[in-house]
Amino acid sequence: MTITMQSTPGSSGYLDLYPERKMSFFKNPYILGLASVAGIGGLLFGYDTGVISGALLYIKDDFEEVRNSNFLQETIVSMAIAGAIVGAAAGGWINDAYGRKKATLFADIIFTLGAILMAAAPDPYVLILGRLLVGLGVGIASVTAPVPGTWRWMLGVSGVPAVVQFVLMLFLPESPRWLFIKNRKNEAVDVLCKIYDPARLEDEVDFLTAQSEQERQKRSNIKFWHVFRSKETRLAFLVGGGLLAFQQFTGINTVMYYSPTIVQMAGFHANQLALLLSLIVAGMNAAGTILGIYLIDHAGRKKLALCSLGGVIASLIILALAFYKQSSSSSSELYGWLAILGLALYIGFFSPGMGPVPWTVNSEIYPEEYRGVCGGMSATVCWVSNLIVSETFLSIAEGIGIGSTFLILAGIAVAALLFVLLYVPETKGLTFDEVEVIWRERAWGKNPNPNTQTLLEQGSHS
């Protein structure tokens, strides 16, 4: 069976031919249930990212050695990221070998154990071990898919979503694609029957049957070093990995992990006030992310990233100036509020664009046979970059000053803007096959298909 760009179920060409087979996800309770339970994995990471920023204020109050050591503070924050690097690297293999359902269950168990360990930690070192386990769980989940009280409750309650997901996941099916690859076609068809109407079901089954055979053959031959042997795939990975590296090095998790600490550096020393102001910043992150869901398919990936980075650069410069002026002026409260404004603007510009765009682009730019390995490698680039930033921010800020630190981040954001402008293609509205044509042309500087130029123009202007 030959599968063309236009005949692939779900592609724009297919839906043009059969408009009656277009799915409405919100009208299918089964799909909504699947998406909701899978989405809890994102909640695990989001909650852990948000809660550690506030919990750190109270951890410093309880443990004097943490209060007196920037390194311990950075390690408490970043140890979850170190665990996530290992989890993300292993998660792809676990997915392929045992399926997404078992991988998610395993991640939930590890995450819950880590949450319990953090809540009961008698010293910073047990707390760090708990953070490592939580990171392992988050890392595995990342490749499958503030609370009142003390810091122990803030960290311990993070295990609740993992328990909920674990219980609900027991009642959900395995991925149909994985079932096909493992020659369990009848089980896969049972799942697909609950998702698609009869008119489209047959096309989906035929497509997965053909594709699963191709994937079985390709997966057995693909290794991570093969990514660098193919010029097209190498270019795609450099763009995907580069986007995720710039996402981290422009400082997003510096702000998310340390926002209450940054607020205190701006002159608002009371824990509750610092936490309240940082929650406002976090609220803007949530609102911006929702806005990004709309904009990413209307404005396009590249344009959204460029606008986002322009705002990020301006915001980081405002932050740098606020802290420079605060250290040399008697009107420190005024510049403290200017720093809060800079933080809010930073999140407001970052969250709709550079938040979702790198992940979206990474899901669209890799050839079929390399999608799994490149996705895992890009996720590892993201976690390693995250680890570097979170493990060094406080030490750098102490060494050269918080204003200079934000100025360095602004310089990196300028480099990111140029990177997106020069190297990132617009993938809005293109199929995987059409994106492969773009890489082929960039790699070899020739037009192997007369439609290539049209596709490039479509990607740039859609």
Side-chain angles (χ1 to χ4, degrees):
M1 176 183 178
T2 301
I3 300 173
T4 66
M5 291 184 192
Q6 299 301 318
S7 67
T8 302
S11 68
S12 57
Y14 176 89
L15 295 177
D16 286 341
L17 290 172
Y18 308 106
E20 74 281 359
R21 299 181 185 179
K22 186 175 182 179
M23 294 174 56
S24 177
F25 293 99
F26 294 102
K27 292 182 180 179
N28 189 326
Y30 183 74
I31 297 177
L32 286 174
L34 292 175
S36 299
V37 175
I40 295 175
L43 177 63
L44 297 179
F45 176 57
Y47 180 84
D48 182 73
T49 299
V51 79
I52 191 60
S53 64
L56 189 61
L57 300 179
Y58 298 98
I59 292 170
K60 290 188 289 186
D61 288 345
D62 273 15
F63 298 126
E64 184 179 356
E65 54 193 310
V66 175
R67 185 166 61 252
N68 296 330
S69 171
N70 282 335
F71 177 75
L72 270 180
Q73 293 175 43
E74 291 166 334
T75 302
I76 288 171
V77 169
S78 61
M79 190 52 66
I81 304 162
I85 294 171
V86 178
W93 175 80
I94 296 173
N95 280 343
D96 289 345
Y98 300 103
R100 291 182 181 272
K101 179 177 178 177
K102 291 186 179 68
T104 303
L105 292 171
F106 182 56
D108 288 335
I109 291 172
I110 294 177
F111 192 99
T112 303
L113 289 174
I116 293 171
L117 204 58
M118 288 191 300
D123 58 58
Y125 306 100
V126 175
L127 175 59
I128 288 169
L129 177 59
R131 296 284 297 160
L132 177 66
L133 290 177
V134 163
L136 283 169
V138 166
I140 295 172
S142 74
V143 291
T144 57
V147 181
T150 69
W151 64 267
R152 295 182 186 276
W153 280 104
M154 294 169 76
L155 295 177
V157 78
S158 64
V160 173
V163 173
V164 172
Q165 185 182 47
F166 180 90
V167 173
L168 294 176
M169 188 61 70
L170 293 173
F171 299 96
L172 295 186
E174 187 51 83
S175 158
R177 183 184 298 272
W178 184 83
L179 291 171
F180 264 98
I181 292 173
K182 297 298 181 182
N183 288 316
R184 294 160 60 178
K185 182 176 178 179
N186 290 338
E187 295 175 59
V189 172
D190 288 341
V191 176
L192 293 171
C193 285
K194 299 176 183 177
I195 298 175
Y196 300 108
D197 59 36
R200 184 164 166 183
L201 176 63
E202 185 178 352
D203 290 339
E204 292 288 344
V205 171
D206 290 343
F207 172 67
L208 284 175
T209 300
Q211 192 179 54
S212 61
E213 181 57 36
Q214 294 172 6
E215 286 192 16
R216 270 195 296 269
Q217 295 172 359
K218 290 174 179 177
R219 283 187 179 186
S220 62
N221 298 322
I222 296 297
K223 308 298 180 185
F224 76 90
W225 55 84
H226 294 164
V227 171
F228 301 100
R229 293 182 182 175
S230 164
K231 193 172 182 181
E232 299 100 310
T233 309
R234 185 167 68 245
L235 287 173
F237 173 68
L238 289 175
V239 166
L243 269 177
L244 285 169
F246 276 121
Q247 181 192 60
Q248 297 304 315
F249 283 113
T250 50
I252 180 57
N253 281 318
T254 290
V255 172
M256 296 308 296
Y257 293 140
Y258 296 114
S259 57
T261 303
I262 294 169
V263 169
Q264 287 188 330
M265 291 176 177
F268 303 95
H269 299 293
N271 281 353
Q272 289 184 334
L273 178 59
L275 190 56
L276 175 63
L277 291 174
S278 69
L279 286 175
I280 295 172
V281 173
M284 291 195 65
N285 184 42
T289 302
I290 294 171
L291 177 62
I293 293 172
Y294 171 82
L295 290 177
I296 200 163
D297 278 329
H298 288 77
R301 285 81 162 126
K302 186 168 185 173
K303 186 184 295 183
L304 185 56
L306 290 172
C307 293
S308 174
L309 284 166
V312 163
I313 293 166
S315 305
L316 288 169
I317 291 173
I318 290 172
L319 275 164
L321 290 174
F323 281 105
Y324 276 132
K325 290 290 187 181
Q326 186 190 44
S327 62
S328 60
S329 171
S330 57
S331 305
S332 58
E333 185 174 349
L334 172 63
Y335 291 111
W337 284 109
L338 183 61
I340 299 299
L341 174 64
L343 273 179
L345 287 174
Y346 174 89
I347 288 294
F349 280 109
F350 188 99
S351 55
M354 280 302 287
V357 167
W359 293 106
T360 303
V361 170
N362 266 273
S363 71
E364 297 172 334
I365 61 174
Y366 300 122
E368 177 69 40
E369 63 269 30
Y370 289 96
R371 203 161 296 148
V373 67
C374 284
M377 289 169 64
S378 295
T380 303
V381 168
C382 178
W383 289 118
V384 170
S385 303
N386 191 345
L387 176 64
I388 293 169
V389 171
S390 60
E391 183 64 37
T392 59
F393 173 72
L394 293 179
S395 298
I396 292 174
E398 184 181 42
I400 66 173
I402 184 73
S404 298
T405 304
F406 280 121
L407 206 56
I408 290 172
L409 293 177
I412 295 173
V414 170
L417 188 145
L418 294 174
F419 177 83
V420 172
L421 188 65
L422 296 174
Y423 298 111
V424 177
E426 178 56 76
T427 56
K428 174 192 167 188
L430 301 182
T431 66
F432 290 122
D433 301 279
E434 291 167 343
V435 174
E436 283 190 50
V437 173
I438 293 176
W439 295 124
R440 198 174 304 130
E441 185 188 61
R442 289 193 176 187
W444 304 110
K446 60 183 180 180
N447 193 350
N449 185 308
N451 295 322
T452 303
Q453 188 61 39
T454 304
L455 294 174
L456 286 168
E457 291 173 356
Q458 177 185 342
S460 298
H461 295 100
S462 60

Short mmCIF file of all heavy atoms in Angstrom, two decimals, residues 84-123:
data_model
loop_
_atom_site.label_atom_id
_atom_site.label_comp_id
_atom_site.label_asym_id
_atom_site.label_seq_id
_atom_site.Cartn_x
_atom_site.Cartn_y
_atom_site.Cartn_z
N ALA A 84 15.42 14.48 35.60
CA ALA A 84 14.62 14.52 34.37
C ALA A 84 15.47 14.19 33.15
O ALA A 84 14.97 13.61 32.18
CB ALA A 84 13.97 15.89 34.22
N ILE A 85 16.75 14.58 33.17
CA ILE A 85 17.64 14.25 32.05
C ILE A 85 17.74 12.74 31.89
O ILE A 85 17.60 12.20 30.79
CB ILE A 85 19.03 14.86 32.28
CG1 ILE A 85 18.96 16.39 32.23
CG2 ILE A 85 20.03 14.35 31.24
CD1 ILE A 85 20.24 17.08 32.65
N VAL A 86 17.96 12.05 33.01
CA VAL A 86 18.05 10.59 32.98
C VAL A 86 16.70 9.99 32.58
O VAL A 86 16.61 9.08 31.75
CB VAL A 86 18.50 10.04 34.34
CG1 VAL A 86 18.54 8.52 34.32
CG2 VAL A 86 19.86 10.61 34.72
N GLY A 87 15.61 10.53 33.17
CA GLY A 87 14.28 10.02 32.87
C GLY A 87 13.89 10.19 31.42
O GLY A 87 13.32 9.29 30.80
N ALA A 88 14.22 11.36 30.85
CA ALA A 88 13.89 11.61 29.44
C ALA A 88 14.69 10.69 28.53
O ALA A 88 14.17 10.19 27.52
CB ALA A 88 14.17 13.07 29.10
N ALA A 89 15.97 10.48 28.88
CA ALA A 89 16.81 9.60 28.06
C ALA A 89 16.29 8.16 28.09
O ALA A 89 16.30 7.47 27.06
CB ALA A 89 18.25 9.66 28.56
N ALA A 90 15.84 7.71 29.27
CA ALA A 90 15.33 6.34 29.39
C ALA A 90 13.88 6.21 28.94
O ALA A 90 13.44 5.12 28.54
CB ALA A 90 15.45 5.88 30.85
N GLY A 91 13.15 7.32 28.98
CA GLY A 91 11.72 7.27 28.70
C GLY A 91 11.40 6.80 27.29
O GLY A 91 10.44 6.06 27.08
N GLY A 92 12.19 7.23 26.30
CA GLY A 92 11.94 6.81 24.93
C GLY A 92 12.06 5.30 24.78
O GLY A 92 11.23 4.66 24.13
N TRP A 93 13.10 4.74 25.41
CA TRP A 93 13.29 3.27 25.34
C TRP A 93 12.15 2.55 26.06
O TRP A 93 11.63 1.55 25.56
CB TRP A 93 14.62 2.90 25.97
CG TRP A 93 14.82 1.41 26.05
CD1 TRP A 93 15.22 0.58 25.03
CD2 TRP A 93 14.58 0.56 27.18
NE1 TRP A 93 15.26 -0.74 25.48
CE2 TRP A 93 14.87 -0.77 26.79
CE3 TRP A 93 14.14 0.80 28.49
CZ2 TRP A 93 14.74 -1.84 27.65
CZ3 TRP A 93 14.02 -0.28 29.36
CH2 TRP A 93 14.31 -1.58 28.94
N ILE A 94 11.74 3.06 27.23
CA ILE A 94 10.64 2.43 27.97
C ILE A 94 9.36 2.48 27.15
O ILE A 94 8.60 1.50 27.09
CB ILE A 94 10.44 3.13 29.33
CG1 ILE A 94 11.68 2.94 30.21
CG2 ILE A 94 9.21 2.58 30.06
CD1 ILE A 94 11.65 3.74 31.50
N ASN A 95 9.10 3.62 26.48
CA ASN A 95 7.92 3.74 25.63
C ASN A 95 7.91 2.67 24.54
O ASN A 95 6.91 2.00 24.31
CB ASN A 95 7.89 5.12 24.95
CG ASN A 95 7.36 6.20 25.87
OD1 ASN A 95 6.73 5.91 26.88
ND2 ASN A 95 7.62 7.43 25.52
N ASP A 96 9.04 2.56 23.84
CA ASP A 96 9.12 1.62 22.73
C ASP A 96 9.01 0.18 23.20
O ASP A 96 8.39 -0.66 22.53
CB ASP A 96 10.43 1.82 21.96
CG ASP A 96 10.45 3.12 21.17
OD1 ASP A 96 9.37 3.72 20.99
OD2 ASP A 96 11.55 3.55 20.77
N ALA A 97 9.62 -0.13 24.33
CA ALA A 97 9.67 -1.52 24.80
C ALA A 97 8.38 -1.95 25.48
O ALA A 97 7.92 -3.08 25.28
CB ALA A 97 10.86 -1.70 25.75
N TYR A 98 7.79 -1.08 26.29
CA TYR A 98 6.66 -1.48 27.13
C TYR A 98 5.37 -0.71 26.87
O TYR A 98 4.34 -1.03 27.44
CB TYR A 98 7.04 -1.33 28.61
CG TYR A 98 8.21 -2.18 29.00
CD1 TYR A 98 9.48 -1.61 29.17
CD2 TYR A 98 8.08 -3.55 29.17
CE1 TYR A 98 10.58 -2.39 29.51
CE2 TYR A 98 9.17 -4.34 29.52
CZ TYR A 98 10.41 -3.76 29.68
OH TYR A 98 11.49 -4.53 30.02
N GLY A 99 5.44 0.34 26.02
CA GLY A 99 4.24 1.11 25.73
C GLY A 99 4.11 2.33 26.63
O GLY A 99 4.65 2.39 27.74
N ARG A 100 3.34 3.31 26.15
CA ARG A 100 3.19 4.56 26.89
C ARG A 100 2.42 4.38 28.19
O ARG A 100 2.66 5.08 29.17
CB ARG A 100 2.49 5.60 26.01
CG ARG A 100 3.35 6.07 24.86
CD ARG A 100 2.68 7.13 24.01
NE ARG A 100 3.56 7.53 22.91
CZ ARG A 100 4.47 8.49 22.99
NH1 ARG A 100 4.62 9.15 24.13
NH2 ARG A 100 5.23 8.79 21.96
N LYS A 101 1.48 3.46 28.20
CA LYS A 101 0.68 3.25 29.42
C LYS A 101 1.56 2.78 30.56
O LYS A 101 1.55 3.37 31.66
CB LYS A 101 -0.42 2.24 29.14
CG LYS A 101 -1.30 1.95 30.37
CD LYS A 101 -2.43 1.00 30.03
CE LYS A 101 -3.26 0.68 31.27
NZ LYS A 101 -4.41 -0.20 30.94
N LYS A 102 2.36 1.75 30.35
CA LYS A 102 3.22 1.23 31.42
C LYS A 102 4.30 2.25 31.79
O LYS A 102 4.66 2.37 32.96
CB LYS A 102 3.87 -0.09 30.99
CG LYS A 102 2.90 -1.25 30.88
CD LYS A 102 3.64 -2.55 30.59
CE LYS A 102 2.67 -3.74 30.50
NZ LYS A 102 1.80 -3.66 29.30
N ALA A 103 4.80 3.00 30.79
CA ALA A 103 5.80 4.03 31.07
C ALA A 103 5.22 5.10 31.98
O ALA A 103 5.88 5.57 32.92
CB ALA A 103 6.31 4.65 29.77
N THR A 104 3.97 5.51 31.72
CA THR A 104 3.33 6.53 32.54
C THR A 104 3.08 6.02 33.95
O THR A 104 3.28 6.75 34.93
CB THR A 104 2.01 6.99 31.89
OG1 THR A 104 2.28 7.45 30.56
CG2 THR A 104 1.37 8.10 32.69
N LEU A 105 2.63 4.78 34.08
CA LEU A 105 2.42 4.20 35.41
C LEU A 105 3.73 4.17 36.20
O LEU A 105 3.76 4.49 37.40
CB LEU A 105 1.85 2.78 35.27
CG LEU A 105 0.43 2.67 34.72
CD1 LEU A 105 0.08 1.21 34.44
CD2 LEU A 105 -0.58 3.27 35.71
N PHE A 106 4.81 3.78 35.55
CA PHE A 106 6.12 3.73 36.20
C PHE A 106 6.55 5.12 36.65
O PHE A 106 7.05 5.32 37.76
CB PHE A 106 7.13 3.14 35.22
CG PHE A 106 8.52 2.99 35.77
CD1 PHE A 106 8.75 2.26 36.93
CD2 PHE A 106 9.62 3.57 35.13
CE1 PHE A 106 10.04 2.12 37.45
CE2 PHE A 106 10.89 3.44 35.63
CZ PHE A 106 11.11 2.71 36.80
N ALA A 107 6.33 6.12 35.77
CA ALA A 107 6.69 7.50 36.11
C ALA A 107 5.89 7.98 37.32
O ALA A 107 6.43 8.67 38.21
CB ALA A 107 6.43 8.41 34.92
N ASP A 108 4.61 7.63 37.38
CA ASP A 108 3.76 8.06 38.51
C ASP A 108 4.25 7.47 39.84
O ASP A 108 4.24 8.14 40.87
CB ASP A 108 2.31 7.65 38.26
CG ASP A 108 1.65 8.47 37.17
OD1 ASP A 108 2.10 9.60 36.94
OD2 ASP A 108 0.69 7.98 36.55
N ILE A 109 4.67 6.20 39.80
CA ILE A 109 5.17 5.56 41.03
C ILE A 109 6.42 6.27 41.53
O ILE A 109 6.54 6.60 42.71
CB ILE A 109 5.46 4.06 40.77
CG1 ILE A 109 4.15 3.29 40.54
CG2 ILE A 109 6.22 3.45 41.95
CD1 ILE A 109 4.37 1.86 40.08
N ILE A 110 7.36 6.53 40.62
CA ILE A 110 8.61 7.20 41.01
C ILE A 110 8.33 8.60 41.53
O ILE A 110 8.88 9.03 42.56
CB ILE A 110 9.58 7.26 39.81
CG1 ILE A 110 10.02 5.84 39.43
CG2 ILE A 110 10.80 8.11 40.13
CD1 ILE A 110 10.91 5.80 38.20
N PHE A 111 7.45 9.33 40.84
CA PHE A 111 7.12 10.69 41.25
C PHE A 111 6.50 10.70 42.65
O PHE A 111 6.86 11.55 43.49
CB PHE A 111 6.16 11.32 40.24
CG PHE A 111 5.99 12.80 40.39
CD1 PHE A 111 6.69 13.68 39.59
CD2 PHE A 111 5.13 13.33 41.35
CE1 PHE A 111 6.54 15.06 39.74
CE2 PHE A 111 4.97 14.69 41.49
CZ PHE A 111 5.68 15.56 40.69
N THR A 112 5.59 9.78 42.91
CA THR A 112 4.93 9.73 44.22
C THR A 112 5.93 9.41 45.33
O THR A 112 5.88 10.02 46.40
CB THR A 112 3.81 8.67 44.20
OG1 THR A 112 2.89 8.98 43.14
CG2 THR A 112 3.06 8.64 45.52
N LEU A 113 6.83 8.46 45.09
CA LEU A 113 7.86 8.15 46.09
C LEU A 113 8.73 9.38 46.38
O LEU A 113 9.06 9.67 47.53
CB LEU A 113 8.74 7.00 45.59
CG LEU A 113 8.09 5.62 45.55
CD1 LEU A 113 9.04 4.60 44.90
CD2 LEU A 113 7.70 5.16 46.95
N GLY A 114 9.08 10.11 45.32
CA GLY A 114 9.87 11.32 45.51
C GLY A 114 9.13 12.37 46.30
O GLY A 114 9.71 13.04 47.16
N ALA A 115 7.82 12.53 46.03
CA ALA A 115 7.02 13.51 46.76
C ALA A 115 6.94 13.17 48.25
O ALA A 115 7.04 14.06 49.12
CB ALA A 115 5.62 13.59 46.16
N ILE A 116 6.78 11.88 48.56
CA ILE A 116 6.73 11.45 49.97
C ILE A 116 8.07 11.72 50.65
O ILE A 116 8.12 12.21 51.79
CB ILE A 116 6.37 9.95 50.06
CG1 ILE A 116 4.94 9.73 49.57
CG2 ILE A 116 6.55 9.44 51.48
CD1 ILE A 116 4.57 8.27 49.40
N LEU A 117 9.14 11.41 49.95
CA LEU A 117 10.48 11.62 50.51
C LEU A 117 10.73 13.10 50.78
O LEU A 117 11.29 13.47 51.83
CB LEU A 117 11.53 11.07 49.55
CG LEU A 117 12.88 10.66 50.13
CD1 LEU A 117 12.71 9.60 51.21
CD2 LEU A 117 13.79 10.13 49.03
N MET A 118 10.31 13.98 49.86
CA MET A 118 10.49 15.42 50.06
C MET A 118 9.70 15.91 51.26
O MET A 118 10.19 16.70 52.08
CB MET A 118 10.05 16.19 48.80
CG MET A 118 10.98 16.04 47.62
SD MET A 118 10.58 17.19 46.27
CE MET A 118 8.91 16.72 45.87
N ALA A 119 8.45 15.44 51.38
CA ALA A 119 7.60 15.92 52.47
C ALA A 119 8.13 15.51 53.84
O ALA A 119 7.93 16.22 54.83
CB ALA A 119 6.18 15.40 52.28
N ALA A 120 8.81 14.36 53.90
CA ALA A 120 9.30 13.85 55.18
C ALA A 120 10.78 14.14 55.42
O ALA A 120 11.35 13.69 56.41
CB ALA A 120 9.08 12.33 55.24
N ALA A 121 11.41 14.91 54.53
CA ALA A 121 12.87 15.10 54.59
C ALA A 121 13.32 15.72 55.91
O ALA A 121 12.88 16.81 56.27
CB ALA A 121 13.31 16.00 53.43
N PRO A 122 14.23 15.03 56.63
CA PRO A 122 14.74 15.59 57.89
C PRO A 122 15.90 16.55 57.70
O PRO A 122 16.28 17.26 58.62
CB PRO A 122 15.20 14.34 58.66
CG PRO A 122 15.63 13.39 57.58
CD PRO A 122 14.72 13.66 56.41
N ASP A 123 16.47 16.56 56.49
CA ASP A 123 17.61 17.44 56.21
C ASP A 123 17.64 17.73 54.71
O ASP A 123 16.92 17.10 53.92
CB ASP A 123 18.93 16.79 56.67
CG ASP A 123 19.19 15.44 56.02
OD1 ASP A 123 19.23 15.40 54.77
OD2 ASP A 123 19.34 14.44 56.74
#
